[in-house]
Amino acid sequence: MEMGRGLGVGVHGRTWSSANPPTEEDMDLRRGPWTVDEDLVLMNYIAAHGEGRWNCLARCAGLKRTGKSCRLRWLNYLRPDVRRGNITPEEQLLILELHSRWGNRWSKIAQQLPGRTDNEIKNYWRTRVQKHAKQLQCDVNSKQFKDVMRYLWMPRLVERIRAASGSSPAAIYQNASVPMAGSEQPAEPGSEAGQVKLSPETSSAAGSSLDSVGMQFSSPRISDCFSECYGGMQGGENRNGDGIPDVQIGGWWPESLLSPGGNSNQGLPDFEQGAWGESLWSVEDTWLQQQF
DNA sequence: AATAAGAACAACCGCACAAAC
DNA sequence: GGTTTGTGCGGTTGTTCTTAT
């Protein structure tokens, strides 16, 4: 089951070309998914000799893989502290916050989520977040999309975390430690386990739907605005569990959502893929997004 | 039950940078 | 000071799994 990519990479990271043909050793390299045996060899070798010098390691361990491939396999999969499974709401909150600040600095973001790899976070972002940006028909880097994240998803994640834990929003923000706004400095090693606090800006924004418990928010109350316009029609959440809004492709107001008494989920794709339940998205969200 | 479509995940690629030579 | 080598990062793509039809 080989992946069959075009260019080859030699054991020393060299790319092959007509001027630089692959050596016999290069030709013998394996690619594609790792086998259980290979995993065992790699794990045993690292257990005995430690990490580092990946190209050397690959050779010495007898693995017909590039050092790069070994390193990737170890870091993303075999490392004992790699945490697998669904991204939790707390982690999602962190990812949203950190990405809004640092952009696609996946490894930097991953440092704030112990046990998570940059690859995993990157995949999460691409499969979940970017998908929804596409459905909202806006660029993932657009202000509109960022506002939706900041004023909609993050408050809901906080609510969800609170509901699950019984914590106050303030406690949630203290626990979900993320770097300060405007701080481009990497967290100091050893300082609070390399973690800092959620930005005040985000805290207040994320508290938008928590104002009943004392958090400040300058924008209009979502529910109030919505009920003024569309009183009573708030049952439209889908079952998307990832905390990311979900809308009908191609427009803000799907017919099915507007039909009185209709099933507000009709026509909405179901994005419940995660482990945590009901959706965070509703007709209300659609209205709010239009305000951005 | 079969199959198509979409989502999620794993792995590779190219590039950049730093250290070693 | 230039070249080689090793490593890390972000982007991309192939494969597998899940869900819908």
Side-chain angles (χ1 to χ4, degrees):
Chain A
M1 186 164 41
E2 294 291 331
M3 293 221 171
R5 313 291 286 255
L7 249 179
V9 179
V11 287
H12 302 297
R14 292 189 303 265
T15 51
W16 305 335
S17 65
S18 54
N20 180 26
T23 65
E24 195 174 321
E25 193 180 11
D26 290 334
M27 297 292 275
D28 207 20
L29 278 177
R30 273 185 54 78
R31 288 194 297 182
W34 281 64
T35 65
V36 175
D37 285 347
E38 286 177 309
D39 283 347
L40 282 173
V41 168
L42 182 56
M43 283 192 291
N44 288 336
Y45 190 90
I46 290 175
H49 302 95
E51 301 176 43
R53 309 285 295 179
W54 291 104
N55 284 329
C56 173
L57 184 154
R59 271 196 305 272
C60 296
L63 288 162
K64 297 182 185 307
R65 296 275 182 174
T66 65
K68 259 186 166 181
S69 183
C70 293
R71 173 183 165 271
L72 209 62
R73 183 64 179 172
W74 174 253
L75 292 179
N76 288 343
Y77 200 82
L78 298 176
R79 220 167 17 122
D81 58 332
V82 167
R83 194 169 152 202
R84 313 201 69 78
N86 292 319
I87 306 278
T88 66
E90 288 89 345
E91 289 172 321
Q92 292 181 48
L93 184 61
L94 264 173
I95 293 170
L96 293 180
E97 165 70 17
L98 294 179
H99 187 275
S100 72
R101 190 160 305 147
W102 292 335
N104 298 352
R105 302 287 303 280
W106 307 118
S107 61
K108 193 171 179 177
I109 293 170
Q111 286 170 8
Q112 302 295 325
L113 290 114
R116 298 294 186 186
T117 68
D118 56 349
N119 207 37
E120 197 171 8
I121 293 168
K122 181 169 58 180
N123 279 333
Y124 166 77
W125 186 266
R126 292 191 63 82
T127 56
R128 313 278 183 88
V129 181
Q130 285 196 349
K131 177 187 73 181
H132 288 283
K134 190 177 174 186
Q135 286 171 345
L136 293 171
Q137 296 183 313
C138 59
D139 188 89
V140 75
N141 294 316
S142 67
K143 182 178 185 302
Q144 183 191 39
F145 190 72
K146 286 176 179 174
D147 283 344
V148 168
M149 278 200 295
R150 183 168 295 274
Y151 296 115
L152 217 61
W153 304 352
M154 294 175 71
R156 289 186 175 198
L157 283 166
V158 171
E159 284 194 55
R160 194 168 288 254
I161 295 165
R162 183 187 59 173
S165 69
S167 304
S168 69
I172 290 166
Y173 282 111
Q174 287 200 336
N175 290 335
S177 302
V178 294
M180 294 295 290
S183 166
E184 296 307 313
Q185 302 299 319
E188 288 294 327
S191 65
E192 292 284 332
Q195 293 182 331
V196 286
K197 304 300 181 193
L198 193 74
S199 70
E201 182 193 358
T202 299
S203 297
S204 93
S208 60
S209 41
L210 300 171
D211 47 1
S212 63
V213 287
M215 307 231 11
Q216 307 260 320
F217 184 49
S218 57
S219 298
R221 289 184 56 139
I222 301 168
S223 299
D224 291 351
C225 295
F226 183 80
S227 52
E228 275 179 24
C229 301
Y230 303 100
M233 208 180 75
Q234 297 194 42
E237 293 197 355
N238 71 5
R239 292 177 293 121
N240 180 4
D242 57 12
I244 297 174
D246 182 15
V247 298
Q248 176 84 349
I249 297 172
W252 300 125
W253 296 104
E255 290 260 341
S256 57
L257 289 177
L258 294 171
S259 312
N263 179 353
S264 55
N265 258 349
Q266 262 188 339
L268 288 175
D270 177 11
F271 288 104
E272 171 50 43
Q273 309 281 342
W276 47 291
E278 78 274 25
S279 162
L280 300 177
W281 183 244
S282 67
V283 175
E284 178 181 321
D285 302 338
T286 303
W287 174 85
L288 182 69
Q289 189 196 11
Q290 289 180 310
Q291 313 310 305
F292 295 134

